[in-house]
Amino acid sequence: MQKLIIDGGQPLKGEITVQAAKNSALPIIAACILTEEPVEIINCPHLRDIDAMLDIMRHLGCQAEFDGDKLTITCRDIALNVINNDLTGKLRSSIFILGSILSRCRRAYISRPGGCEIGLRPIDLHIAGLKSLNVQIEDDYGVICCDGSEMAPATISLEFASVGATENLMMAGVLLDGETTIVNAAREPEIVDLAAFINAMGGKVEGAGSSVIKITGVKKLHGCSFEPMPDRICAGTYLAAAAATGGNIVVNNIVPEHIFSITDRLRKVGAKITVRRNSARIVMQERPRPIHKLETNVYPAFPTDMQPQFTAMLAIATGSSVVIENLFENRYGFTGELVKMGANITVRDRVAVVHGVPKLFGATLKASDLRGGAALVTAALGAEGRSVVYGVEHIDRGYEYIERVFSSLGANIRRTTAF
Ligand code: EPZ
């Protein structure tokens, strides 16, 4: 167990470069199963979620090796082992690997991933979509047994524009003989990145980024070398931390349109933001102004993965804000920790009312999920006095050496062993 010790109050200053996107690299790693040839993933971030995904890939007989930031994956033979609970438990969203295994082997066995800190994380949309492709699915005491021997292309209409279900079904259609269409597909940039990766391997995916994605099956895919897109949530996290500390930073390696809804809200709280081709500068000279209503929704609306960090920043706003979390039913767990720091936040179901206070005070804090942990670090950086953040393993799931990034911006933050 490790902890972060943060002596807050330093305005962040300086320049950083954002890592590649966790939520793009993860499905891309799963998609390596679609070819027997070696695949190189350039600049792959070193994260616990990536490690968890690679554990699953190795469990299936794939070879996966890092050489610095270059990850090489070869799935020459696939062993149809059950992807058991201790693997799916570490990475709920591993369910999207089903599509690539079914594409390659026409059979797959995976334990139900179950819920996590932020919600139940059901998989009904994945299951319904695979059944539309004529996959026979049985639940055998918590193990989902899939028989894709009669799989056939189809048009699938998603009840909800689920990111993971879209990725799963895209991968399931890539090697089918014919055309699979996903209607009401998720439009997140990570979907576009996965489609670009599949096409770089010789696949034929069209319409990614829109609500209708068309996959024309091909016989075989070949290896390739691919660099995942920049992580828009990490970029947003660092910008929000600069806003919470009255800082002045430059964030390099961004795609401006990927973070437009984030920079738009930062301007609303009073930040001065200048965006260049692939970098953004934020200058924050006073306390954030409140946001009357901050509502999360699917891309291109304000992302749920930025809600905790913004809630932490709004805790010191000059007025009251209402935050509405439309994606996950339990994504305010971190607010109890902010209240320990002096925040004035009331939560009812998916709504949090945040009454801004002049400042927060350092406290002993416990992260219980990835973005909630990032919110605690955001608050601690701006607070007066020392905070100790336990549960750093949650933060390491999505942020590469978060303490190095913030200390390079002048923050007084260090990692140490918890006992
Ligand atoms: C992806 O999760 C991301 N994870 C999440 O990021 C992100 O919050 C989420 O998309 C929304 O943008 C990865 O890409 C690895 P969904 P995913 O399916 O695919 C419900 C982070 O912090 N739903 O779009 O699981 C679900 O319960 C993580 O990096 C069903 O009801 O998200 C949720 O309420 C957290 N049935 C909503 O849809 C299903 O079968 C959005 O889920 C699937 C989902």
Side-chain angles (χ1 to χ4, degrees):
M1 281 274 276
Q2 295 183 317
K3 62 188 179 188
L4 294 175
I5 298 175
I6 301 169
D7 291 321
Q10 300 288 335
L12 297 180
K13 292 205 185 315
E15 198 164 330
I16 49 160
T17 299
V18 173
Q19 69 189 54
K22 163 178 90 77
N23 291 347
S24 177
L26 287 172
I28 284 172
I29 289 170
C32 293
I33 289 173
L34 297 169
T35 178
E36 298 167 1
E37 297 181 13
V39 173
E40 286 182 345
I41 300 171
I42 309 299
N43 264 342
C44 186
H46 294 268
L47 302 167
R48 285 169 58 91
D49 271 10
I50 297 289
D51 295 341
M53 193 66 190
L54 295 180
D55 287 347
I56 294 173
M57 299 288 282
R58 293 182 183 114
H59 179 72
L60 295 172
C62 302
Q63 288 165 340
E65 296 305 329
F66 266 106
D67 172 9
D69 292 338
K70 185 176 75 175
L71 173 63
T72 302
I73 297 178
T74 310
C75 303
R76 195 163 297 107
D77 304 306
I78 299 291
L80 276 178
N81 301 323
V82 173
I83 303 173
N84 43 41
N85 216 282
D86 56 13
L87 290 167
T88 57
K90 280 190 278 184
L91 190 66
R92 312 288 168 192
S93 44
S94 54
I95 189 72
F96 54 49
I97 200 167
L98 265 185
S100 55
I101 302 172
L102 283 166
S103 257
R104 176 83 181 267
C105 310
R106 295 293 194 271
R107 284 188 185 287
Y109 308 95
I110 187 168
S111 297
R112 269 188 182 279
C116 66
E117 299 70 20
I118 62 173
L120 289 173
R121 311 296 290 271
I123 57 170
D124 55 315
L125 302 176
H126 297 252
I127 300 298
L130 290 173
K131 285 183 174 173
S132 302
L133 297 176
N134 204 26
V135 177
Q136 309 306 314
I137 297 179
E138 283 181 18
D139 188 327
D140 187 1
Y141 298 102
V143 175
I144 302 166
C145 302
C146 301
D147 174 356
S149 50
E150 304 295 320
M151 273 175 92
T155 293
I156 303 160
S157 172
L158 284 177
E159 284 295 319
F160 173 81
S162 154
V163 171
T166 301
E167 292 164 343
N168 219 344
L169 297 167
M170 194 194 290
M171 290 188 267
V174 170
L175 296 174
L176 285 181
D177 181 12
E179 210 165 83
T180 295
T181 303
I182 304 171
V183 178
N184 194 27
R187 294 179 290 161
E188 273 68 5
E190 291 78 12
I191 304 283
V192 178
D193 223 28
L194 176 61
F197 173 70
I198 290 171
N199 291 343
M201 291 199 288
K204 196 164 180 328
V205 181
E206 298 163 284
S210 78
S211 297
V212 181
I213 298 178
K214 192 170 72 175
I215 303 110
T216 307
V218 294
K219 289 243 176 302
K220 204 169 164 57
L221 294 180
H222 52 72
C224 72
S225 181
F226 191 85
E227 178 166 4
M229 59 177 251
D231 194 310
R232 59 192 173 100
I233 305 302
C234 286
T237 302
Y238 304 140
L239 291 169
T245 58
N248 176 346
I249 71 168
V250 173
V251 177
N252 294 314
N253 192 31
I254 63 160
V255 177
E257 63 267 23
H258 288 176
I259 60 169
F260 178 73
S261 64
I262 299 167
T263 50
D264 172 67
R265 294 329 183 274
L266 286 169
R267 289 191 173 100
K268 283 196 165 66
V269 302
K272 302 253 177 315
I273 302 226
T274 40
V275 178
R276 297 272 176 280
R277 204 169 45 79
N278 64 355
S279 72
R281 176 185 289 277
I282 180 171
V283 180
M284 191 73 175
Q285 280 155 339
E286 69 271 320
R287 271 170 66 189
R289 292 197 294 264
I291 297 180
H292 170 64
K293 185 168 75 169
L294 180 68
E295 194 150 8
T296 68
N297 219 314
V298 297
Y299 190 86
F302 184 79
T304 176
D305 292 349
M306 280 302 305
Q307 177 269 103
Q309 301 91 311
F310 262 66
T311 301
M313 183 257 292
L314 292 170
I316 55 164
T318 54
S320 299
S321 309
V322 174
V323 181
I324 302 172
E325 171 54 68
N326 287 312
L327 273 294
F328 290 104
E329 62 273 30
N330 187 25
R331 200 163 203 175
Y332 290 116
F334 64 96
T335 54
E337 299 300 293
L338 296 183
V339 169
K340 284 184 192 170
M341 303 174 79
N344 181 352
I345 302 174
T346 309
V347 170
R348 180 70 51 83
D349 297 331
R350 292 180 181 234
V351 179
V353 179
V354 186
H355 300 293
V357 294
K359 68 167 71 170
L360 298 179
F361 297 91
T364 298
L365 307 166
K366 173 88 173 73
S368 55
D369 71 87
L370 166 55
R371 307 301 175 185
L376 300 185
V377 172
T378 301
L381 289 168
E384 183 180 299
R386 173 164 291 190
S387 296
V388 179
V389 180
Y390 289 88
V392 187
E393 66 277 9
H394 293 286
I395 301 170
D396 291 342
R397 286 185 39 220
Y399 295 88
E400 207 176 27
Y401 317 121
I402 196 165
E403 75 279 9
R404 292 184 198 169
V405 173
F406 284 126
S407 44
S408 76
L409 292 172
N412 199 330
I413 178 174
R414 62 191 169 88
R415 176 190 294 252
T416 177
T417 309
F419 39 73

